[in-house]
Amino acid sequence: MEIPITGFVVHSNDSESGHSHVLFITSWDGKPVTRTHVHPIAGKTSIDVGHFHHYAGKTEPAPSGVPHVHNYHVKTSFDDQHDHIVKGTTGPAIPLPSGGHYHYFEGCTTINGRIPHSHRFGGKTGDEEC
């Protein structure tokens, strides 16, 4: 089964490789997509080298009403004289019984610290925010 989608692609300098593109969907299955949303993201990292970090922020916007994922990029708390970056892409949307949805996310932080190390992180986003 094919679902008709319209949209456009824009060059972006957000990639570490120096070249990437972002897709903006304008219609999904004949219905206009005009609204975007974000999700709160928060948690604490694994304990490594005797400490952990907290992190909190929001995902990047994504279209509402269509299958999607979100990118996220958040700085951790400053603990043990350093911080880390938590970044990645969520999994697909998981519907909530009362409406709305959430996403799972997981990964490893950037490497930092007097003793260079990273931390594991993961969880699920909060419900969508317009």
Side-chain angles (χ1 to χ4, degrees):
M1 177 175 133
E2 290 187 20
I3 298 173
I5 301 169
T6 61
F8 55 94
V9 176
V10 175
H11 172 72
S12 170
N13 289 326
D14 293 339
S15 172
E16 290 177 7
S17 68
H19 182 87
S20 68
H21 296 92
V22 177
L23 171 64
F24 292 93
I25 298 172
T26 56
S27 77
W28 180 272
D29 201 14
K31 298 175 187 150
V33 175
T34 57
R35 209 172 55 112
T36 63
H37 67 281
V38 297
H39 294 265
I41 185 171
K44 65 181 187 178
T45 67
S46 61
I47 298 172
D48 292 283
V49 193
H51 69 280
F52 67 92
H53 299 265
H54 291 277
Y55 58 91
K58 292 188 178 187
T59 64
E60 293 180 2
S64 298
V66 300
H68 66 279
V69 295
H70 295 263
N71 292 326
Y72 55 90
H73 188 277
V74 178
K75 188 179 275 192
T76 67
S77 57
F78 188 80
D79 295 288
D80 198 36
Q81 304 298 310
H82 70 279
D83 55 22
H84 298 269
I85 299 295
V86 169
K87 68 178 181 176
T89 303
T90 68
I94 299 169
L96 290 165
S98 58
H101 66 277
Y102 64 94
H103 301 261
Y104 284 112
F105 63 93
E106 65 181 355
C108 289
T109 67
T110 55
I111 297 171
N112 202 355
R114 286 178 286 109
I115 300 171
H117 66 283
S118 64
H119 297 268
R120 291 178 316 283
F121 63 87
K124 61 182 184 177
T125 66
D127 195 3
E128 63 196 286
E129 300 175 356
C130 296

